[in-house]
Amino acid sequence: MKLKSLLTMSRASLGEFEHIVLAAVLRLRPDAYGMMIRREILDRTGQDAAIGAVYTTLDRLQAKGLVSSHIGEKTPERGGRSKKYFEITASGIEALQVSVERLTKMWDGVLRPKPAGGV
Amino acid sequence: MEGSKDMPPSAAEVAAAERKYCAAMREYNELEEIFRNAQASDADMDTLVMFNNSRDEARSLARAAGIAFEEAKRDCHAAEAADRAASATSYRIAEQNTDLLDDPAKQASVKPPSLAEKTLYLLLHKRHREHIPGDLEEEFQTFILPKFGLRYAKRWYWFQVIRTIVANHPWVSRFIAAGGGGFGLYQIAKGVFQGFWGNEFDEAGQDPNEEHR
């Protein structure tokens, strides 16, 4: 029982980029594939993530069971290559909620420091 | 200058500054002449001091108006030059794209640099060989090529290929950081071992599993 709860906690904790990618998959549902996820991150956060980094993170999220994937259609503008669509799972939504709650709790009641470093 | 701080002065504002400067100079010249005439006609000291003060005041105003006019002229010319440069860039992009935009079939026929595609294919893991090149080509065709033109789009593709390789094989970035040499070779050997047969690494070169230990 203890081991199970430890495993659940480990799966639920998300790194910053994992959090961003997972949120992008949730926003783009049901049209979330590599390029769209990259564009969504770029448009919303200004972070120009490498497509390779996005896929590495998606693989990791899939290994944790937070996203699932399926192969889509082949299109001419992709040089006849197929798309790989990602879908957030119930555990993924839960992990995202837990992550947001943790951040909110940590920020609750804290005066945000100024960018220059002063408080 | 009377224009707002964010916007460069318009040509009309520059002309207004020039008129103000000319009027101030005229006034100063008139007062200078009056002062000289007073000196020549042996006017009393109080009158001379009064004329001298008026002349000095007019000279200060004329100088300030002159500075304002020069600044307005400079800013206006800089803004015009920037506009001309932007137009030239847009024109170049439009010129490059004229053929492409007129004919969608032609646009679709433009492919990313083949050498970059082959390099990417060779250095990607098998499971990504279908989707990553597909995503990059779609972004190349849909977003980058129509917006920035062929030359930029090709550069962009090469840049993305390099970034993708670095993100998937951190030993490449370690080699660059090490600058070659013995330490570099050690890093490569270590990186090759870890990169191909070991763990997957994230973009920052950290072991993704480490944060959960």
Side-chain angles (χ1 to χ4, degrees), chain A residues 93-110:
Chain A
I93 293 172
E94 196 188 326
L96 206 52
Q97 281 171 344
V98 168
S99 181
V100 170
E101 275 168 25
R102 279 179 188 168
L103 281 174
T104 313
K105 279 177 188 168
M106 286 308 292
W107 274 111
D108 193 25
V110 176

Side-chain angles (χ1 to χ4, degrees), chain A:
Chain A
M1 194 67 186
K2 215 171 186 180
L3 182 67
K4 196 181 173 186
S5 68
L6 273 171
L7 278 171
T8 315
M9 264 189 72
S10 168
R11 282 186 168 192
S13 53
L14 294 173
E16 189 197 1
F17 195 57
E18 286 179 335
H19 187 123
I20 290 172
V21 170
L22 205 52
V25 172
L26 183 63
R27 295 189 73 90
L28 290 167
R29 196 159 60 161
D31 196 29
Y33 63 97
M35 189 210 70
M36 291 301 286
I37 295 168
R38 200 187 96 80
R39 299 291 310 181
E40 181 75 6
I41 293 169
L42 180 62
D43 291 346
R44 296 210 164 259
T45 68
Q47 186 182 354
D48 188 9
I51 190 79
V54 171
Y55 269 95
T56 306
T57 307
L58 284 165
D59 285 348
R60 209 153 64 221
L61 292 172
Q62 193 164 7
K64 288 180 184 178
L66 305 180
V67 294
S68 60
S69 68
H70 66 273
I71 304 299
E73 73 279 18
K74 295 182 177 184
T75 57
E77 69 268 17
R78 297 172 63 83
R81 299 180 186 95
S82 59
K83 290 175 183 173
K84 189 176 185 182
Y85 286 102
F86 292 89
E87 178 74 32
I88 191 164
T89 60
S91 321
I93 293 172
E94 196 188 326
L96 206 52
Q97 281 171 344
V98 168
S99 181
V100 170
E101 275 168 25
R102 279 179 188 168
L103 281 174
T104 313
K105 279 177 188 168
M106 286 308 292
W107 274 111
D108 193 25
V110 176
L111 288 173
R112 300 202 175 188
K114 289 175 186 172
V119 180

Side-chain angles (χ1 to χ4, degrees), chain B residues 41-52:
Chain B
S41 61
D42 292 331
D44 61 68
M45 188 55 78
D46 288 347
T47 312
L48 280 177
V49 168
M50 188 184 75
F51 283 149
N52 188 40

